[in-house]
Amino acid sequence: MAEVLDIVVVGGGINGAGIARDAAGRGLSVLLCEKNDLASATSSASTKLIHGGLRYLEYYEFRLVREALIEREVLLRAAPHIIWPLRFVLPHNKGLRPAWMIRLGLFLYDHLGGRKLLPGSEGIDLRQHPAGAPLEADLRKAFVYSDCWVQDSRLVVLNAMDARERGAEVLTRVECVSARREEGQWRVVLRDLHDGAQREVRARALVNAAGPWTAEFIEQRAGLNKAQSLRLVKGSHIVVPKLFEHDFPYIFQNPDGRIVFAIPYENDFTLIGTTDVDFTADPGEVEISDDEVAYLCQAVNAYFKRKITPADVVWTYSGVRPLYDDRAESASSATRDYVLEIDHGPGKAPLLSVFGGKITTFRKLSEHALRKLEEAMGPLGESWTAEAPLPGGDIPGADFEGYAERFRQSHSWLPQDLARRYLRAYGTRTEQLLDGAGDLDGLGEHLGDGLYAAELRYLMRQEWVETADDLLWRRSKMGLHVSADTKQNLAAWIARQSGAAARQETV
């Protein structure tokens, strides 16, 4: 007889990981499966912001903006190592939105969410502010407001770690082959993509958090009637050598009504995005188009003195947003709010499917998902995540800089840049990574560019890293920094460790 769980979650993006974490923390038995790596699709392809969504005010999405603004500070306290404040500069372009409209929007933005930790908005004279230097001389007035940066794929991993530490089973490279209702339960067939081995589990409830594949899962894997409409919208970003020396990101208005961000990125680069393009192809094969690259270059060239061309682009990434189809006229005006659809079915075994959502509101979405499941399953315990830090985020007073200074003093043998990289990625879990090391030799083999065996062992044991790309592009963005030799060394090291582990299992 297959084991019976409370909930099986399909999809290892931010919503699946958040729901698994919330449910496990309530004492429920949970299994999460992801057919690729965690955050391998939409959740690692965001603009990396925890924000209220200033432009959503124009579409009267006040509930969404208020919820996101409140969550902005909740998440900042929960994970101050991977989330930190930014002050955005919005230059005033006289030919676009009038100044009074921007002031009104920023007033609402400052007050809708009961802001406590972040400073409010203000007007600035670009002729006297550091942010004015890289901009065209005719731009004289701007507005500054607060939002937060996030290492998006790490946010997913930390939720999955917390779910596992609270009792959930988290499986990567494991596909849900099929799910059928039988005798008031879900019979779920899983396939391990490493060796093809299948496993069957039963669950009282099934959560479909498959992102761009949500509708496909309902119709093809669960064998149910056609799902609610899902609007797939591609968002693409480009990365170029840094265009300015200061720490202020920009938000630029465009004549088409959209906005584009230009954000300091990984010390040496500027991140520019995003686009909004309706998408109908395979979400697993998404990539930027030449038109999108040209659009993003043109958007920032209207503001910066230094012009860029597609030849300046050093890296791009694209993702497909699985938005709820509200029949909006354009992709950019489609709602970013989430919709939770529940199918009770015979025997009351519920299927909950997630449509839409944004990374900032994942925690509230998870609470609402558990509330929806209670309609069919009965009481599922109290919500708890609002005050709980994520792994590595248990920093006293959420004071990252103070914690970092104390860490550096007690670990003076670590090069400063390496110590800061560790702390920004792992927070208080850095001590687990170091595992008692007292010098660089204690970190084991050096593969180049600051990558030591101790970090790799930690990532393979604790964070589901199985390939070089898992580390270079999702657990970090070191792919932008390390040499080809280091990448080759990393791939070879992981292959050796995986081979040794496989041999050990056969003994």
Side-chain angles (χ1 to χ4, degrees):
M1 181 69 178
E3 57 191 298
V4 179
L5 302 164
D6 289 315
I7 299 173
V8 167
V9 180
V10 178
I14 188 59
N15 291 330
I19 292 169
R21 176 198 183 215
D22 193 328
R26 300 179 190 221
L28 302 174
S29 55
V30 178
L31 183 149
L32 180 149
C33 66
E34 163 57 48
K35 65 181 179 180
N36 295 307
D37 183 29
L38 296 169
S40 57
T42 309
S43 294
S44 59
S46 77
T47 312
K48 325 299 182 192
L49 300 179
I50 297 293
H51 66 138
L54 180 61
R55 73 181 184 88
Y56 304 151
L57 291 174
E58 289 187 315
Y59 300 106
Y60 309 108
E61 299 226 39
F62 298 115
R63 189 211 65 78
L64 174 63
V65 174
R66 173 176 165 76
E67 182 174 273
L69 288 171
I70 293 170
E71 285 301 289
R72 190 178 59 176
E73 298 202 355
V74 171
L75 296 178
L76 180 58
R77 288 191 295 267
H81 54 315
I82 64 164
I83 300 173
W84 56 89
L86 294 175
R87 292 287 280 169
F88 284 80
V89 175
L90 195 169
H92 179 231
N93 187 322
K94 294 180 181 179
L96 300 177
R97 295 170 178 86
W100 68 263
M101 181 182 292
I102 297 174
R103 289 193 194 97
L104 176 60
L106 289 173
F107 177 84
L108 291 171
Y109 207 69
D110 282 344
H111 293 90
L112 267 178
R115 176 181 49 83
K116 297 177 182 177
L117 301 178
L118 301 173
S121 60
E122 60 180 341
I124 60 169
D125 184 342
L126 288 171
R127 294 168 296 183
Q128 301 176 15
H129 192 279
L135 300 178
E136 292 283 8
D138 61 341
L139 295 168
R140 299 184 177 185
K141 179 188 296 184
F143 302 90
V144 180
Y145 70 94
S146 294
D147 266 324
C148 292
W149 178 260
V150 63
Q151 299 183 56
D152 54 4
S153 51
R154 290 208 58 77
L155 183 65
V156 177
V157 171
L158 296 187
N159 273 273
M161 288 175 65
D162 204 25
R164 181 180 58 191
E165 290 172 10
R166 296 175 186 276
E169 184 176 6
V170 177
L171 304 174
T172 61
R173 274 85 178 188
V174 171
E175 181 181 21
C176 177
V177 177
S178 67
R180 294 292 186 272
R181 287 188 175 103
E182 287 186 1
E183 299 176 353
Q185 298 173 343
W186 282 99
R187 180 172 64 85
V188 182
V189 178
L190 307 175
R191 179 169 60 222
D192 190 321
L193 298 182
H194 297 95
D195 58 13
Q198 290 197 354
R199 171 184 171 191
E200 181 180 309
V201 298
R202 291 183 178 267
R204 296 171 57 209
L206 183 62
V207 171
N208 171 16
W213 296 272
T214 295
E216 175 192 315
F217 179 87
I218 293 171
E219 297 165 20
Q220 298 183 20
R221 305 301 169 99
L224 300 177
N225 294 331
K226 189 176 187 302
Q228 291 278 4
S229 295
L230 192 66
R231 185 170 188 170
L232 300 183
V233 175
K234 179 174 65 165
S236 297
H237 297 75
I238 61 175
V239 175
V240 299
K242 66 180 177 181
L243 299 174
F244 45 90
E245 296 296 328
H246 58 75
D247 295 329
F248 292 90
Y250 296 94
I251 175 172
F252 294 141
Q253 304 177 76
N254 294 317
D256 62 3
R258 297 203 65 257
I259 55 93
V260 166
F261 293 99
I263 304 173
Y265 191 58
E266 290 288 312
N267 299 317
D268 302 320
F269 304 96
T270 299
L271 172 67
I272 299 168
T274 180
T275 59
D276 275 315
V277 180
D278 281 312
F279 187 79
T280 57
D282 180 358
E285 302 295 330
V286 60
E287 60 182 20
I288 197 169
S289 68
D290 291 344
D291 286 345
E292 287 177 290
V293 174
Y295 172 87
L296 293 174
C297 290
Q298 182 181 9
V300 298
N301 284 345
Y303 288 86
F304 286 126
K305 294 175 183 174
R306 175 182 165 188
K307 309 306 179 185
I308 61 171
T309 71
D312 294 304
V313 176
V314 298
W315 183 54
T316 70
Y317 64 89
S318 301
V320 178
R321 308 180 190 100
L323 304 181
Y324 180 76
D325 190 359
D326 60 354
R327 310 301 181 189
E329 182 176 343
S330 67
S332 61
S333 61
T335 182
R336 266 52 176 179
D337 209 347
Y338 52 85
V339 173
L340 302 175
E341 179 190 80
I342 192 158
D343 181 320
H344 293 289
K348 297 296 184 181
L351 167 66
L352 183 136
S353 296
V354 179
F355 296 83
K358 55 200 295 286
I359 199 164
T360 305
T361 54
F362 83 89
R363 193 196 66 82
K364 290 299 291 185
L365 181 153
S366 300
E367 285 187 344
H368 292 155
L370 270 293
R371 199 175 304 152
K372 276 276 191 181
L373 288 172
E374 285 184 326
E375 296 174 9
M377 301 174 68
L380 297 179
E382 298 296 324
S383 58
W384 60 275
T385 56
E387 304 296 330
L390 285 159
D394 52 335
I395 294 171
D399 177 13
F400 175 82
E401 294 300 338
Y403 177 78
E405 179 58 32
R406 294 190 298 274
F407 179 92
R408 283 192 292 268
Q409 290 176 2
S410 60
H411 298 78
S412 57
W413 55 273
L414 266 176
Q416 188 168 349
D417 288 348
L418 183 60
R420 189 163 187 86
R421 182 173 74 76
Y422 283 171
L423 291 170
R424 271 298 182 202
Y426 310 111
T428 60
R429 298 292 175 100
T430 302
E431 295 288 0
Q432 289 187 22
L433 183 158
L434 298 178
D435 194 24
D439 55 30
L440 288 176
D441 288 341
L443 298 181
E445 182 181 353
H446 183 222
L447 283 72
D449 297 304
L451 271 177
Y452 289 87
E455 182 177 13
L456 305 184
R457 285 194 295 268
Y458 174 85
L459 288 168
M460 293 183 76
R461 286 196 311 264
Q462 301 295 331
E463 297 196 8
W464 298 276
V465 162
E466 296 187 18
T467 71
D469 278 355
D470 294 349
L471 188 158
L472 294 172
W473 297 110
R474 286 180 288 277
R475 304 310 180 275
S476 74
K477 289 298 179 284
M478 292 190 70
L480 286 169
H481 303 287
V482 304
S483 68
D485 285 345
T486 297
K487 292 177 183 178
Q488 187 174 6
N489 292 341
L490 171 62
W493 191 95
I494 290 176
R496 289 197 303 272
Q497 297 300 309
S498 299
R503 289 191 297 273
Q504 184 70 27
E505 288 180 2
T506 62
V507 173

